[in-house]
Amino acid sequence: MSYNAFITRETIEGEEDGPLAGKTVAVKDNISTEGVRTTCGSAMLEEYVPPYDAAVVERLLEAGATIPGKTNMDEFGMGTTTETSAFGPTDNPAAEGRVPGGSSGGSAAAVAAGEADLALGTDTGGSVRCPAAFTGTVGIKPTYGLVSRYGLIAYANSLEQIGPIAPSVEEAAELLEVIAGLDDRDSTTRDAHEEVGERSPDGVREYAFADAADGDVDGLEIGIPTELLEGADERVVETFWDAIDELEARGASYHEVAMESLSHAVEAYYVIAMSEASSNLARFDGVRYGPTPEYEGNWNEEFAAVREEGFGEEVKRRILLGTYALSAGYHDKYYKQAQDARAWVKQDFDSALSEADVLASPTMPVPPMERGESLDDPLTMYLADANTTPVNLANLPAISVPAGETSDGLPVGLQLIGPAFGEREIIRAGSALA
């Protein structure tokens, strides 16, 4: 059965030797691949072929991976269902008739269906963790700055990170080891070896993420933000507590924690993300990028026509809202307040993690939605990101692992959140379940 997981099926061969030799790694279609079409799931870039590889693609190929193709995604990463792609929706191999999550739904579906061993997605507000939860796979959103964004076609620069999707925690950790590290071409990458790795005698960075996947949670202290359980589907909450019970049986303990700022996180996230998107997507104008208009007119008319034809409805909605939030007279009312809320969220996470090794919540407050269920109700789609967006605002690492299934057989994910550059902590905790 075809799940429409790929937009472009074109194989890119890596080196003969390396830690990923013999492995196939699907790559989300907003990550640049030299000579291979990269569309961002949009008609605007339907024929765009990058002249260079993204940093993560270079590292995959150097590690011996084979890239079997570019995966489907919500247009420009804007969505939670992989239904806004100009190339059609992706189906969920783990739940027939349901969405695979988004925006990296094609990457998760490819792994869940066995069409790729591993995959790369991008996570701006949950776009790796959501599809991992909906397809019963593992997804890691790294600390901001751990993985280079060079060659990633930007949606919201201050929020997004490239992360792995895999069948197991150990395999996701192995892929993260390959793509992590400093890159001179991305000034946001940071030297974090004191926290997450060591240097070998020849100066090459060595990470030990996979070594942390030992399932040892004896003595682990888990904080559970009560706000991330409020309003969640009862079936999801029940499955979440079953997973916590399993961790407790293995030696972990937990306590509940209040984080008042989380009640404002979704609103702050969407103001910031849409504002950054309105700026980033201004270059798609038919001159620098995008199709050239076939008629003559003034520049404003041609600019508007290209964007009207090239962008889908959800992208247009976010550009309009972001432009409004940044406009004169409204910047302080919306964007500045959203940034203040972001700082509050970060402070709350720092406080909660000072008394816990990791924080835990359901990855998504609902099971996978039925196809088409949220397309006409964007507000419901935005609110579905309530548990994942706060992590991006705080630039922290998080992992989604399978928590189990609801009574009607739908996948549920458990989200584990760690301190900055605390990937080893969340990998160790997650590996007790997957």
Side-chain angles (χ1 to χ4, degrees):
M1 176 179 177
S2 172
Y3 298 98
N4 196 32
F6 289 87
I7 291 176
T8 300
R9 279 279 202 177
E10 187 168 338
T11 300
I12 308 172
E13 298 286 353
E15 301 292 335
E16 292 185 3
D17 297 318
L20 295 179
K23 296 281 189 180
T24 56
V25 183
V27 173
K28 188 176 179 179
D29 206 30
N30 59 347
I31 299 172
S32 297
T33 42
E34 181 181 1
V36 176
R37 187 175 67 145
T38 301
T39 71
C40 288
S42 178
M44 181 68 79
L45 292 178
E46 186 171 5
E47 302 301 329
Y48 173 62
V49 178
Y52 66 97
D53 282 328
V56 292
V57 171
E58 292 175 348
R59 292 174 180 179
L60 287 180
L61 299 178
E62 289 169 2
T66 296
I67 299 172
K70 307 295 293 295
T71 56
N72 202 9
M73 56 180 286
D74 283 300
E75 186 180 7
F76 283 101
M78 301 180 188
T80 309
T81 63
T82 313
E83 293 179 292
T84 68
S85 171
F87 302 92
T90 294
D91 294 312
N92 188 342
E96 186 177 353
R98 304 272 174 163
V99 300
S103 63
S104 308
S107 290
V111 172
E115 295 181 13
D117 297 318
L118 309 165
L120 291 183
T122 60
D123 194 309
T124 308
S127 291
V128 163
R129 291 161 287 155
C130 166
F134 280 3
T135 60
T137 55
V138 173
I140 298 177
K141 181 264 173 202
T143 303
Y144 188 83
L146 180 63
V147 178
S148 173
R149 293 185 300 108
Y150 175 76
L152 169 64
I153 298 175
Y155 161 20
N157 308 60
S158 75
L159 298 164
E160 59 202 4
Q161 278 286 271
I162 298 169
I165 298 175
S168 71
V169 171
E170 183 175 8
E171 290 169 289
E174 290 171 348
L175 181 51
L176 183 59
E177 287 180 357
V178 168
I179 64 173
L182 278 172
D183 180 9
D184 292 340
R185 299 163 297 183
D186 178 1
S187 61
T188 67
T189 57
R190 287 177 275 177
D191 187 351
H193 79 275
E194 292 182 1
E195 290 85 4
V196 297
E198 299 178 352
R199 292 191 183 279
S200 63
D202 62 1
V204 176
R205 177 181 301 279
E206 293 180 341
Y207 292 102
F209 296 135
D211 289 346
D214 56 15
D216 182 8
V217 294
D218 189 28
L220 182 78
E221 184 64 29
I222 304 170
I224 299 177
T226 55
E227 289 82 359
L228 299 185
L229 295 174
E230 294 172 359
D233 187 289
E234 291 182 2
R235 297 167 295 170
V236 169
V237 174
E238 182 180 352
T239 308
F240 166 77
W241 282 115
D242 287 344
I244 295 297
D245 289 344
E246 175 65 21
L247 291 173
E248 193 175 24
R250 291 172 174 260
S253 57
Y254 73 88
H255 65 272
E256 295 185 356
V257 58
M259 297 177 63
E260 186 180 350
S261 65
L262 297 186
S263 61
H264 304 281
V266 172
E267 294 95 323
Y269 166 81
Y270 273 104
V271 170
I272 293 168
M274 291 179 183
S275 297
E276 293 186 16
S278 74
S279 175
N280 279 323
L281 271 62
R283 63 185 181 272
F284 301 107
D285 56 8
V287 178
R288 291 165 289 184
Y289 297 94
T292 303
E294 297 180 357
Y295 63 92
E296 293 184 2
N298 67 48
W299 184 86
N300 287 324
E301 290 176 351
E302 293 185 0
F303 176 81
V306 166
R307 291 164 73 81
E308 169 64 27
E309 296 170 11
F311 289 141
E313 293 304 312
E314 183 59 33
V315 173
K316 293 174 192 173
R317 181 182 296 116
R318 297 194 190 198
I319 290 173
L320 288 170
L321 290 171
T323 303
Y324 179 77
L326 292 175
S327 60
Y330 294 98
H331 177 278
D332 288 354
K333 183 177 181 180
Y334 294 110
Y335 187 74
K336 184 178 182 300
Q337 286 199 43
Q339 291 290 6
D340 290 343
R342 181 178 192 172
W344 184 18
V345 169
K346 180 68 167 68
Q347 291 170 1
D348 267 2
F349 270 115
D350 289 344
S351 177
L353 285 165
S354 69
E355 299 180 358
D357 298 307
V358 297
L359 304 179
S361 76
T363 306
M364 300 296 289
V366 293
M369 293 86 82
E370 293 183 3
R371 283 266 303 271
E373 183 178 338
S374 63
L375 279 178
D376 296 326
D377 188 1
L379 183 58
T380 297
M381 181 171 64
Y382 300 162
L383 292 175
D385 296 333
N387 290 10
T388 53
T389 53
V391 178
N392 298 77
L393 289 174
N395 294 144
L396 297 178
I399 188 172
S400 178
V401 298
E405 295 182 345
T406 63
S407 56
D408 46 348
L410 298 176
V412 173
L414 171 72
Q415 175 176 239
L416 296 164
I417 306 162
F421 299 104
E423 276 75 7
R424 286 176 58 83
E425 287 89 339
I426 60 174
I427 286 167
R428 175 168 287 114
S431 66
L433 297 174

